[in-house]
Amino acid sequence: MGETGHMLPRTLFEKLWDAHVVAAPEGQSALLYIDLHLVHEVTSPQAFDGLRANGRPVRQPLRTVATVDHNIPTTPRGLPITDPIAAKQIEALQKNCREFGVPLFDMDSAEQGIVHVIGPELGITLPGMTIVCGDSHTSTHGAFGSLAFGIGTSEVEHVLATQCLPQKKPKTMQIHVTGELAEGVTAKDLALGIIGRIGTDGATGFVIEYAGDPVRALSMEGRMTLCNMSIEAGARAGLIEPDETTFAYVSGRRFAPKGKDWEAAVGYWRTLAGDPGAQFDRVIEIDAAMLAPFVTWGTNPGMVVPVSARVPELNTFAQESDRRAAEQALAYMGLDPGTPIESIAVDRVFIGSCTNSRIEDLRAAARVAKGQHVNPKVRAMVVPGSQTIKREAEQEGLHRIFLDAGFEWRESGCSMCLGMNPDILQPGERCASTSNRNFEGRQGRGGRTHLVSPMMAAAAAIAGHFTDIRNWRFQ
Amino acid sequence: MQPFRKHTGKVVPLDKVNVDTDQIIPKQFLKRIERTGFGEFLFYDWRFSGDGKNISDFVLHMPRYQNASILVAGKNFGCGSSREHAVWALMDFGFRVVIASSFADIFANNSLKNGLLTVRLGDEQIGEITRRAKEIDDYRLAIDLETLRVEDDRGFAATFTMDEFSRHCLLNGLDDIGLTLQHEAEIAAYEAQHPAGAEMRLIARIL
């Protein structure tokens, strides 16, 4: 309370934080209550083992929701998992969920999907929550105005055991976007443009709040794409204030509150928006008019230029360490400085991942693919984020468009975003990917990843090289 | 968790910025369900060629850096994926300390939970340590978490900062789940006025 007895104006983040502090012991980190803990097969087995070793139960199994997504094949679901170690990891999650009473959307579930896709689409992710998951892209859920961040396995165990996490309070950053996103410039391009500007460590130690008309104008799918990539700028989390777009998306979803519960929830969610005059530790202005469809050229998401540009010259890097990193990145990527981006040919195209596998992403890609054919030199795959999205896309006939154009239409999962399952690049293969990381070897050892939007990926599949979607002739 | 008070050891310079956790431990090794045995896969794609042979000019293979326990790198070490396997791999390989000009948040948290010390120093100090580790055989640093000092026996000395609570946990190797459970009454009181929402009850009914 201030001297006058009024609360100081607070940001959305500060309201979420204050609402979840369980204890603030002197000289220790604050203890934050976690409303929802999402769990998947890769980062949880050691955490459940830790519980067993100490004889601890899961404190709130019904605030815990599990699915399998990272290492499962995207081939038809009836087929056996050929990788025995992957199969064992999936079995471990099944066993752990049974033993500790955690709800699981299993392999054969009609709702299985990427953890950051199914939370929102099932109405499990709600505004105002604190959400964690042993996965860095948990930042996705910030699109709903929930404080959502990735944690390691020790912290997964901590949340399973206590439903709390000791947390140092992060700093606050507002990214204020002005103007309007041009046709063909998507939420993905906004995210890549921001990371290109502030760098992959530009928001380390901060929680980002995205604001401004172009952010407000984004659909929930677009907002999820934007918040998803917050971690690629180093941010602890990315947030967008909940508004009518948010409520309309959540309303009626399977696990969303209903009736009186819904009215009460929306009433509360409306109080979450930042107060006028609330201060951020740092504010960054982005002019949407300066953005373009982007393509990464290097081995981190900050190494990015507009599709109409060229691979940068090494003398444009001010710092020696950055220049050397760029040189190493170009050697890995097999690219020369000054190469026009549109002249770069691709071997593979991946449309999917927790960044860009939602229905709107598939609609955008299908609009580009309609009536076209994948270049004969390219292998292109579309991996819906969830079984729900897959069904919805099939009802709309999107799978027909993709299949007719020569794209593969797969089952849901993380797939080639990180290549833990059999979907990987071969050494030297170049891929236009709608995923979130172009790190060395991310999609397969020696694979060369270029991050783009779904429309840009579909266009590259058809053209056989990167091409400016703003000049595309839609059929 | 393994406590950390003081450590003296050999230094290996990675001399790279933005080292992501996909490099520290590639995804094909994340399918194991144990916490142990990840050391042999550390920096796998940088250490080994596609056919499993040593890439001999990678620093970790150089005879002069064998048995190093302090890794030095540039800014934003540990960025990317939240995989704690990266920390397990570094520790299993024998590292007790990573020195860098900055660390990604999740990696730093994971390190803290396992007793791997992350020391932030300025770019100039990192440059100096890197230079010395390249030029001087068996170059060693002494790191003292009680005095927050890094020094060698050739006149290099630097201090670093760490928040007091993290330092306290590391020095004492505290089980922080145990610490949190000491707040049982407060957690229970919080839960009483913040019951699981309708959505959670629905999940319970349907699944």
Side-chain angles (χ1 to χ4, degrees), chain A residues 188-189 192 195 229 232 293-305 333 355-356 417 431-439 442-443 448-453 456-457 466:
Chain A
K188 179 64 162 285
D189 302 299
L192 288 171
I195 300 161
M229 296 284 285
E232 309 312 333
F294 283 104
V295 181
T296 62
W297 52 266
T299 53
N300 74 50
M303 294 173 162
V304 65
V305 289
M333 295 296 288
T355 311
N356 278 129
C417 172
C431 181
S433 178
T434 67
S435 55
N436 40 60
R437 289 187 176 134
N438 50 341
F439 296 153
R442 171 83 177 175
Q443 294 189 294
R448 294 160 171 167
T449 303
H450 296 267
L451 303 177
V452 289
S453 73
M456 285 285 290
F466 292 108

Side-chain angles (χ1 to χ4, degrees), chain A residues 148-213:
Chain A
F149 52 93
I151 57 177
T153 299
S154 294
E155 291 176 311
V156 169
E157 183 181 340
H158 201 122
V159 176
L160 289 173
T162 69
Q163 208 57 37
C164 294
L165 263 188
Q167 282 289 300
K168 275 174 281 191
K169 194 171 183 176
K171 291 174 282 185
T172 57
M173 175 188 290
Q174 185 187 52
I175 294 187
H176 188 253
V177 189
T178 55
E180 202 177 332
L181 293 174
E183 186 68 28
V185 181
T186 66
K188 179 64 162 285
D189 302 299
L190 174 55
L192 288 171
I194 289 168
I195 300 161
R197 160 106 168 262
I198 70 175
T200 55
D201 59 352
T204 301
F206 287 87
V207 166
I208 298 173
E209 291 189 32
Y210 298 98
D213 292 340

Side-chain angles (χ1 to χ4, degrees), chain A residues 340-358:
Chain A
I341 295 291
E342 287 196 89
S343 74
I344 300 171
V346 299
D347 307 300
R348 304 281 296 267
V349 168
F350 171 64
I351 297 174
S353 86
C354 60
T355 311
N356 278 129
S357 65
R358 297 180 180 82

Side-chain angles (χ1 to χ4, degrees), chain B residues 24-44:
Chain B
I24 299 173
I25 181 99
K27 70 315 199 76
Q28 64 267 34
F29 307 114
L30 306 184
K31 295 171 196 165
R32 298 157 56 95
I33 56 175
E34 299 84 21
R35 269 176 186 260
T36 52
F38 289 97
E40 59 182 300
F41 311 120
L42 179 71
F43 293 119
Y44 190 87

